[in-house]
Amino acid sequence: MGIPCDDLVVIQHGKKPDEPSVITVNCPDKAGLACDICRIILEFGLCISRADFSTDGRWCYIVLWIDPHPKTLKVDWESLNNRLFSACPSCLFSYYFSQESNSSSPASVYLLKVWCIDQKGLLHDVTDVLCKRELIIQRVKVMPTPDGRALDMFFITDGLGLLHRKQRRDDVCDHLMSVLGDCCISCELQLAGAEFGSFQVFSSLPSAVAEELFSCGLSDQSTSLQSLSPDLKTLKRATVAVDNSLSPVHTLLQIQCVDQKGLCYDIMRISKDYDIQSRTNRNFKTGNEGSKVTSSDGVLEIIFTNLVFLFSSTCEIAYARISSSVKGCRNIDLFVQQKDGKKIVDPEDQIKLCSCLKEEMLHPLRVIIVNRGPDTELLVANPVELSGKGRPRVFYDVTSTLKSLGICIFLAEIGRHSTSEHQWEVYRFLLDESREFPLASSRARTQIVDKVRRTLMGWRAD
């Protein structure tokens, strides 16, 4: 049984420019489907304002409300529909689906070499072209030369799965050279060889830097590399409550937190990872907290890391609703029950859950500025999916922010760093001196970090 394949993904646009578009996905369920759907939408630069997710373990029904996008963002809705469609498991007519798109094998990696005359903002201009062409940056290496030129090496995959065609590769190079104009000396795009492996891991981070970058929370101390500006400290507030009175068969977990870009993706990424890698042994710290806990640290990502740790051994999520942002805050309702079909009524289990959430509510992206010998380095990190995929559009957002600040990037690279808890994708940018933002100034450094973090999280400046 099922529904016609044409109805697996339906996109309805608002009748007015200020009304959201509604994306409905109604198809057989699979592990990580909601994460894959949210990831594709984030790759297109779109924002999910509301979301409903429900599943019985066999069939999934997802409704997403997409915020009206700015006029500067051109959305290829047909391509988005096709990408979402290809992410859905087949139901009636499997031959309608691209076998390549549904394959579990990793996408082929291609190497783009752009030899150009270096200038301010050029790296973001190339990144912008790649994003608009649905090319996903996996690794990057920017190597300037003393004569004012630069070799930009991008290891990329294709969201459309068409880079094996010469016409697709030629179109990308031709478009890049057209956008860059006289700055572009040459452009080459070919299947990556063994050199891709050498870019998987870069030089190790100093222990003090790594400890600060991957620490558990944002610091209120001015001496911290990740210290917050005064107004950003208020964004760390979140509450978690457990309620057994509203449903006869489910426990309701209510979470309130600040809004952020990619919130739905963050939630579903954690759920996907721990659905794939079920961890049944987990030690939780207990305390004297009640069923409602207020935390002074974090946003949402690690809430769901530990939430799914607990769910993997005791609970199942039957329904999730993410409400629209109200004054910069989101309300999230999760209806859950134990594996035996019963609610979570044991006070000790509730205390363990709330205590764990209180301890682990953290920020999903890490941003710091450090000294690297005589140079100044901006570091940005985010957890990697177990599938090996990094967070979409991080490189785009960082290069866009630095370009808007008038800060030149002397050197850039993307690599991986492993800790005991996660594998991280780490973005490293060596920054050139700027008259507006002298890098020796702690105030200028704080302003750069603040602006980059706000862009990544989708937080508006006051």
Side-chain angles (χ1 to χ4, degrees):
M1 297 297 293
I3 61 175
C5 285
D6 288 345
D7 294 332
L8 290 180
V9 179
V10 177
I11 300 179
Q12 294 179 316
H13 299 291
K15 296 180 179 179
K16 299 179 181 179
D18 59 346
E19 291 182 348
S21 299
V22 180
I23 298 177
T24 304
V25 179
N26 187 14
C27 68
D29 199 6
K30 70 173 183 179
L33 175 62
C35 173
D36 296 341
I37 295 296
C38 293
R39 179 187 180 85
I40 291 171
I41 291 172
L42 187 57
E43 286 176 359
F44 276 74
L46 298 172
C47 177
I48 299 173
S49 59
R50 290 171 54 197
D52 282 347
F53 302 88
S54 61
T55 180
D56 61 2
R58 292 177 296 179
W59 201 268
C60 183
Y61 187 70
I62 302 172
V63 183
L64 306 173
W65 287 261
I66 307 299
D67 273 345
H69 57 282
K71 294 181 180 180
T72 54
L73 178 63
K74 295 182 179 180
V75 181
D76 187 338
W77 291 102
E78 182 179 359
S79 180
L80 174 60
N81 190 300
N82 291 337
R83 290 281 305 281
L84 295 174
F85 187 81
S86 68
C88 299
S90 59
C91 54
L92 291 179
F93 307 111
S94 60
Y95 56 82
Y96 274 93
F97 292 83
S98 166
Q99 294 301 316
E100 182 177 359
S101 298
N102 283 288
S103 173
S104 59
S105 60
S108 298
V109 179
Y110 287 78
L111 172 59
L112 172 67
K113 295 181 180 179
V114 181
W115 183 251
C116 55
I117 300 173
D118 201 10
Q119 66 179 25
K120 186 182 298 183
L122 188 64
L123 183 58
H124 177 70
D125 294 339
V126 176
T127 304
D128 184 56
V129 171
L130 298 181
C131 287
K132 289 178 178 177
R133 293 279 164 165
E134 298 184 48
L135 298 168
I136 303 164
I137 300 173
Q138 304 294 338
R139 300 286 182 278
V140 66
K141 185 80 170 182
V142 176
M143 295 177 288
T145 61
D147 61 356
R149 301 181 183 185
L151 175 61
D152 296 350
M153 301 175 64
F154 295 85
F155 292 90
I156 58 178
T157 55
D158 190 1
L160 300 180
L162 298 175
L163 275 182
H164 61 283
R165 299 180 180 177
K166 184 177 184 299
Q167 181 180 353
R168 168 74 162 160
R169 298 195 300 272
D170 291 344
D171 286 345
V172 171
C173 289
D174 290 344
H175 189 66
L176 264 174
M177 296 184 72
S178 174
V179 170
L180 299 180
D182 295 337
C183 293
C184 186
I185 301 172
S186 65
C187 180
E188 299 177 7
L189 180 55
Q190 59 189 13
L191 189 66
E195 68 270 23
F196 178 63
S198 66
F199 283 85
Q200 291 275 28
V201 180
F202 48 30
S203 55
S204 61
L205 297 171
S207 57
V209 173
E211 181 178 358
E212 183 71 24
L213 185 61
F214 306 118
S215 62
C216 292
L218 294 171
S219 174
D220 292 340
Q221 303 299 321
S222 60
T223 56
S224 171
L225 298 176
Q226 297 193 78
S227 59
L228 294 175
S229 57
D231 63 309
L232 270 178
K233 294 177 183 179
T234 61
L235 297 176
K236 295 172 24 174
R237 298 173 183 170
T239 60
V240 183
V242 176
D243 193 328
N244 275 313
S245 65
L246 295 181
S247 172
V249 294
H250 294 98
T251 293
L252 172 61
L253 178 63
Q254 295 177 306
I255 299 174
Q256 184 181 64
C257 66
V258 296
D259 194 12
Q260 68 184 48
K261 183 189 296 185
L263 178 62
C264 291
Y265 166 73
D266 285 329
I267 296 170
M268 297 306 158
R269 176 184 63 80
I270 297 300
S271 299
K272 175 183 178 180
D273 283 354
Y274 290 98
D275 193 16
I276 295 173
Q277 184 185 44
S278 178
R279 301 187 183 186
T280 57
N281 296 320
R282 174 71 171 174
N283 295 321
F284 294 93
K285 294 183 179 180
T286 61
N288 297 321
E289 296 84 358
S291 63
K292 186 170 184 178
V293 177
T294 300
S295 171
S296 62
D297 280 42
V299 187
L300 196 67
E301 178 186 356
I302 307 302
I303 298 178
F304 281 86
T305 302
N306 292 278
L307 188 60
V308 180
F309 269 132
L310 185 63
F311 288 167
S312 66
S313 59
T314 62
C315 306
E316 294 178 334
I317 302 175
Y319 175 75
R321 167 170 288 179
I322 301 176
S323 301
S324 299
S325 177
V326 178
K327 296 182 178 180
C329 291
R330 293 268 197 152
N331 290 311
I332 300 161
D333 295 333
L334 298 176
F335 286 86
V336 304
Q337 59 184 197
Q338 298 184 104
K339 297 288 187 181
D340 58 7
K342 298 179 180 180
K343 296 194 290 186
I344 307 172
V345 296
D346 188 332
E348 184 176 349
D349 287 341
Q350 293 182 6
I351 290 174
K352 288 179 180 179
L353 173 59
C354 294
S355 178
C356 179
L357 297 180
K358 179 182 177 181
E359 180 183 358
E360 299 288 355
M361 285 189 287
L362 297 178
H363 49 305
L365 290 141
R366 317 298 173 89
V367 186
I368 63 175
I369 283 186
V370 298
N371 292 325
R372 185 177 176 182
D375 301 314
T376 301
E377 184 174 53
L378 173 70
L379 295 173
V380 178
N382 59 264
V384 176
E385 294 180 27
L386 286 182
S387 63
K389 297 178 180 178
R391 186 185 183 90
R393 296 180 72 89
V394 172
F395 194 79
Y396 178 93
D397 284 342
V398 176
T399 55
S400 174
T401 303
L402 294 177
K403 180 179 179 179
S404 70
L405 295 176
I407 299 175
C408 289
I409 300 170
F410 177 71
L411 187 67
E413 58 180 338
I414 306 174
R416 298 289 170 95
H417 180 92
S418 296
T419 66
S420 59
E421 296 293 330
H422 296 288
Q423 185 181 43
W424 297 83
E425 191 160 61
V426 182
Y427 302 77
R428 306 177 72 163
F429 302 88
L430 283 185
L431 307 180
D432 266 350
E433 278 292 345
S434 167
R435 180 177 299 179
E436 294 81 5
F437 296 93
L439 299 177
S441 166
S442 59
R443 181 174 180 271
R445 291 186 174 208
T446 299
Q447 289 176 327
I448 295 171
V449 168
D450 183 78
K451 180 64 175 178
V452 170
R453 182 184 288 123
R454 286 182 182 276
T455 302
L456 290 168
M457 302 298 287
W459 294 336
R460 295 180 180 179
D462 291 341

